[in-house]
Amino acid sequence: TYVPSPPDREVSRAPTQIRPRLPLLARTGTLRFVFSEGIAAMSSSWSRALTQISPYTFASIGIAISIGVSVLGAAWGIYITGSSLIGAAIKAPRITSKNLISVIFCEAVAIYGVIVAIILQTKLESVPSSMIYNPESLRAGYAIFASGIIVGFANLMCGLCVGIIGSSCALSDAQNSTLFVKILVIEIFGSALGLFGVIVGIIMSSQATWPAKTA
Amino acid sequence: MYGFEALTFNIHGGYLEAIVRGHRSGLLTASDYNNLCQCETLDDIKMHLSATEYGPYLQNGEIPFPFRLPIQFNLSFPLVLFDLAVSVIKLQFWQRGAIGVAHEFILLSPEEPSPLHTTTVVEKCTLKLVDEYKHMLCQATEPLSTFLEYITYGYMIDNVVLIVTGTLHERDVQELLEKCHPLGMFDSIATLAVAQNMRELYRLVLVDTPLAPYFSECITSEDLDDMNIEIMRNTLYKAYLEDFYNFCQKLGGATAEIMSDLLAFEADRRAVNITINSIGTELTRDDRRKLYSNFGLLYPYGHEELAISEDIDQVRAVMEKYPPYQSIFAKISYGESQMLDKAFYEEEVKRLCLAFEQQMFVHCKRPGPCLKKLNCDTSFHYAVFFAYMRLREQEIRNLMWISECVAQNQKSRIHDSVVFIF
């Protein structure tokens, strides 16, 4: 059966063979490498495929998700709020300036995404090609990926939440101006969700230490 | 998915929903009605109404620009409408460059003082409703625009019946056209006066209107007389309600839930009215059953029982098995039916307000104490538009009643028929 050769790696044996992988031990010289690669080599081809994806792929996708999906959430929230705000302001023009706060809360969500993306991309470091599939490298790559997903999807949901609340806030403020401050409190709780995502994302990304250059 | 409309509704409907909620805040409140009920003359009423949102519409002369938006339409008016003796209106609109606003009411020119009749007050108020409706219809996209058009088909049916009846009684066509409701106008409405029986009616006029699909049960060669016309009206309205109901079900989501509740109430109310009005006439039981709609709380078992009822007490016995209607019938004492209309209107207004607000009544299909309130989405559905139009209509009915009572000096009867909305 044809087994594709991974980059910078020796050709692996078929997965059903359970044998100590002495040739690799001889060539790379690190025991940790053997154990991790050995386990993956013994399991199904899907998990092997996953571990053979470069950690830089995961890290870059994580950065993309953090900014892209956050902006999606912010934009979604802004249009939900904006359309109701404009319609309601026809009968009650006084609500316009106060209700821009809802739009600002949605916008903050996009700013969180940008900040985290900038932080994450400073965490990307080069490692020599022999160490790309080091467990440490894999860990760093996965940490950046996870951080990106956390921030992206938390901000998506936060943007949606604040947008829907902002729309209802505009409509009820137009009818009864005492309601505005109370609904604003609900919005503040909603925007805290994005903040949770950012905090956890930054903690995750601080885990992203690539292995030192000397083996 | 029901419950997730909030994510996408505002793309097309957010602006209009906000506008209609703004309009709703302009409905007359209980304090306005109290002021109006204490007026002595029609001029007092006009003065009080000028302080509300109707103000710009009740002034003499031209209505200032921000309140009468020039609205574009692609109607091609048949020439007969231009022969109406209200060329003053057309001049005023052509001066302002508005194209084809479809209404026939009399606007007073700047030089005349206002001879105030009750009909004038009602006409001006209806004009405001028509303007708001048309503004919303212009801005709407599918499927909201279809939904808004569905709301007007009821008025179209009423206009058709009005003209046919009037022609039967040898009235002048122009006079009848003036009495038609503006929301239910369509192009070839004046040619209804020519038709001799229902088949001609359909073939000449109605096949081009949105009412065409409702006529499948109605096309007979019988001559038009009063009885047949009433049956025709009710058959058309039944088909219209069912069509509207199916359309709302297709829309799905919160719209379907709330609209099915409102339309079911409408269907049931019509069933009760048909039953009560046909007691003692020559309408057979089978004919009566054919006029009931195929949905609603009373379908199918209540309809069976209503079809065989012969007097009001039997109707009451049938309706009391259904808890929501039991409360209506509890308000009127035995043997009396005059207050039934008002009781139904009150119930309708209550449900319409709920469509705007927090809750909605959900009924079990079997009679018994199982009424429950359901917290559903308050925004992001189309039922607010329907509810707004109906509430406005109710308000215009109230104003008409108040004006009539004041004009005829019977203020003791004012509270017989005024239904407060807030």
Side-chain angles (χ1 to χ4, degrees):
Chain A
T1 61
Y2 171 65
V3 173
S5 71
D8 295 329
R9 250 221 243 168
E10 310 299 331
V11 173
S12 317
R13 279 172 237 246
T16 50
Q17 289 178 333
I18 303 174
R19 234 177 269 166
R21 300 169 61 78
L22 287 168
L24 280 172
L25 177 63
R27 263 161 243 171
T28 61
T30 52
L31 204 56
R32 275 183 303 168
F33 189 104
V34 164
F35 271 96
S36 71
E37 216 245 88
I39 291 169
M42 286 193 288
S43 49
S44 74
S45 58
W46 273 113
S47 64
R48 184 164 13 135
L50 278 175
T51 55
Q52 289 174 2
I53 298 177
S54 161
Y56 291 114
T57 313
F58 280 111
S60 311
I61 291 179
I63 297 173
I65 287 179
S66 92
I67 176 74
V69 176
S70 303
V71 167
L72 174 64
W76 204 328
I78 290 180
Y79 93 65
I80 291 180
T81 298
S83 51
S84 293
L85 178 54
I86 290 175
I90 289 184
K91 271 294 168 77
R94 60 183 163 79
I95 67 169
T96 42
S97 25
K98 276 198 294 185
N99 278 280
L100 287 177
I101 286 185
S102 310
V103 178
I104 292 176
F105 275 132
C106 288
E107 180 69 23
V109 153
I111 294 179
Y112 297 157
V114 171
I115 291 176
V116 170
I118 292 177
I119 291 176
L120 290 180
Q121 62 90 22
T122 60
K123 301 276 180 185
L124 277 177
E125 292 169 10
S126 301
V127 293
S129 52
S130 58
M131 296 172 61
I132 288 184
Y133 294 97
N134 221 334
E136 287 291 321
S137 313
L138 292 178
R139 176 172 175 253
Y142 295 154
I144 298 179
F145 178 58
S147 173
I149 289 187
I150 288 169
V151 171
F153 286 97
N155 285 340
L156 171 65
M157 291 301 141
C158 172
L160 274 175
C161 168
V162 174
I164 295 176
I165 298 177
S167 138
S168 305
C169 182
L171 293 177
S172 38
D173 189 17
Q175 307 261 352
N176 180 358
S177 47
T178 59
L179 290 174
F180 176 72
V181 177
K182 302 183 169 66
I183 299 185
L184 202 62
V185 173
I186 304 177
E187 262 187 72
I188 292 174
F189 278 111
S191 70
L193 301 174
L195 218 46
F196 297 158
V198 169
I199 292 172
V200 174
I202 292 186
I203 293 175
M204 275 299 290
S205 71
S206 64
Q207 306 261 331
T209 47
W210 301 84
K213 298 245 194 283
T214 57
Chain B
M1 294 179 287
Y2 181 23
F4 288 89
E5 290 103 2
L7 300 180
T8 49
F9 180 85
N10 273 13
I11 302 177
H12 294 296
Y15 173 69
L16 282 175
E17 191 202 344
I19 286 190
V20 86
R21 284 184 186 261
H23 286 322
R24 176 214 182 245
S25 67
L27 288 173
L28 299 179
T29 61
S31 61
D32 289 322
Y33 283 123
N34 281 333
N35 286 342
L36 288 172
C37 289
Q38 287 162 6
C39 291
E40 297 291 334
T41 66
L42 283 178
D43 283 322
D44 281 346
I45 288 187
K46 180 176 161 187
M47 185 183 74
H48 276 120
L49 282 180
S50 306
T52 66
E53 289 206 348
Y54 287 113
Y57 285 83
L58 287 173
Q59 289 165 7
N60 287 345
E62 278 196 28
I63 294 175
F65 177 76
F67 299 103
R68 295 293 331 272
L69 308 166
I71 296 166
Q72 308 243 343
F73 256 101
N74 59 349
L75 291 181
S76 51
F77 275 163
L79 285 175
V80 63
L81 290 177
F82 289 133
D83 292 337
L84 286 177
V86 287
S87 49
V88 175
I89 313 171
K90 306 301 177 188
L91 275 180
Q92 289 191 354
F93 277 105
W94 288 4
Q95 277 166 15
R96 237 186 300 159
I99 305 170
V101 180
H103 73 97
E104 277 74 40
F105 288 123
I106 301 174
L107 269 187
L108 303 170
S109 67
E111 293 77 33
E112 285 175 43
S114 72
L116 200 58
H117 303 291
T118 57
T119 48
T120 319
V121 171
V122 171
E123 277 170 15
K124 298 291 182 65
C125 297
T126 315
L127 190 58
K128 179 171 191 289
L129 171 61
V130 170
D131 274 349
E132 288 170 358
Y133 172 78
K134 288 182 175 162
H135 176 62
M136 289 195 292
L137 188 60
C138 282
Q139 302 268 355
T141 62
E142 290 290 333
L144 179 55
S145 55
T146 314
F147 185 89
L148 288 175
E149 284 169 6
Y150 262 98
I151 299 178
T152 61
Y153 294 165
Y155 299 116
M156 268 189 213
I157 294 175
D158 287 338
N159 285 350
V160 166
V161 168
L162 177 74
I163 290 190
V164 169
T165 317
T167 312
L168 200 63
H169 294 282
E170 319 270 327
R171 294 279 167 77
D172 183 33
V173 171
Q174 316 290 18
E175 188 191 324
L176 292 172
L177 283 175
E178 284 173 26
K179 289 195 170 39
C180 284
H181 197 288
L183 282 178
M185 299 300 282
F186 49 92
D187 282 354
S188 43
I189 193 169
T191 48
L192 283 172
V194 176
Q196 302 289 341
N197 60 30
M198 293 192 202
R199 193 180 291 279
E200 270 187 29
L201 200 67
Y202 178 74
R203 201 172 47 83
L204 287 181
V205 182
L206 294 163
V207 68
D208 290 325
T209 64
L211 298 179
Y214 305 151
F215 262 82
S216 56
E217 292 181 27
C218 262
I219 306 180
T220 61
S221 294
E222 292 175 19
D223 278 337
L224 300 167
D225 61 18
D226 278 327
M227 180 69 156
N228 287 342
I229 291 176
E230 277 308 304
I231 294 181
M232 177 177 86
R233 180 213 295 266
N234 285 309
T235 318
L236 284 178
Y237 211 90
K238 167 197 173 190
Y240 156 63
L241 277 183
E242 283 170 9
D243 193 23
F244 199 1
Y245 183 77
N246 290 333
F247 176 72
C248 292
Q249 295 296 103
K250 259 196 311 198
L251 288 179
T255 304
E257 287 268 340
I258 301 179
M259 282 306 295
S260 63
D261 182 53
L262 295 175
L263 289 177
F265 179 76
E266 175 84 15
D268 293 338
R269 182 174 76 159
R270 285 193 79 87
V272 170
N273 282 336
I274 288 173
T275 312
I276 292 182
N277 291 337
S278 63
I279 290 174
T281 65
E282 59 225 16
L283 194 65
T284 65
R285 290 178 182 181
D286 287 330
D287 280 342
R288 203 195 274 177
R289 194 177 301 130
K290 273 196 288 194
L291 294 177
Y292 299 150
S293 300
N294 293 344
F295 63 97
L297 200 55
L298 291 176
Y299 171 80
Y301 307 113
H303 288 162
E304 295 291 327
E305 295 181 24
L306 274 183
I308 60 175
S309 313
E310 292 298 333
D311 65 32
I312 297 203
D313 291 326
Q314 286 183 9
V315 169
R316 174 195 293 273
V318 170
M319 299 302 283
E320 281 181 347
K321 292 188 196 144
Y322 297 88
Y325 304 131
Q326 185 182 21
S327 56
I328 297 176
F329 276 80
K331 289 186 207 167
I332 42 183
S333 50
Y334 267 94
E336 181 191 307
S337 73
Q338 289 95 338
M339 301 306 289
L340 186 60
D341 274 344
K342 183 174 183 206
F344 269 125
Y345 280 135
E346 280 175 357
E347 178 73 17
E348 185 188 7
V349 162
K350 194 165 61 156
R351 285 169 190 238
L352 292 172
C353 288
L354 287 179
F356 274 101
E357 291 166 12
Q358 186 66 28
Q359 291 154 339
M360 166 190 106
F361 285 108
V362 170
H363 308 296
C364 296
K365 295 296 182 191
R366 53 177 171 81
C370 52
L371 183 70
K372 58 188 193 294
K373 284 189 198 168
L374 181 69
N375 283 347
C376 65
D377 284 309
T378 70
S379 304
F380 312 116
H381 56 79
Y382 295 148
V384 288
F385 297 96
F386 180 79
Y388 172 69
M389 301 290 291
R390 288 297 165 99
L391 284 173
R392 237 331 149 199
E393 216 185 281
Q394 178 61 41
E395 182 176 283
I396 293 177
R397 271 198 290 265
N398 287 348
L399 285 175
M400 183 168 71
W401 182 260
I402 292 175
S403 322
E404 289 287 342
C405 285
V406 163
Q408 295 172 16
N409 242 333
Q410 292 197 9
K411 294 183 51 181
S412 54
R413 295 195 58 198
I414 270 191
H415 289 284
D416 281 351
S417 196
V418 172
V419 177
F420 294 139
I421 296 182
F422 301 123

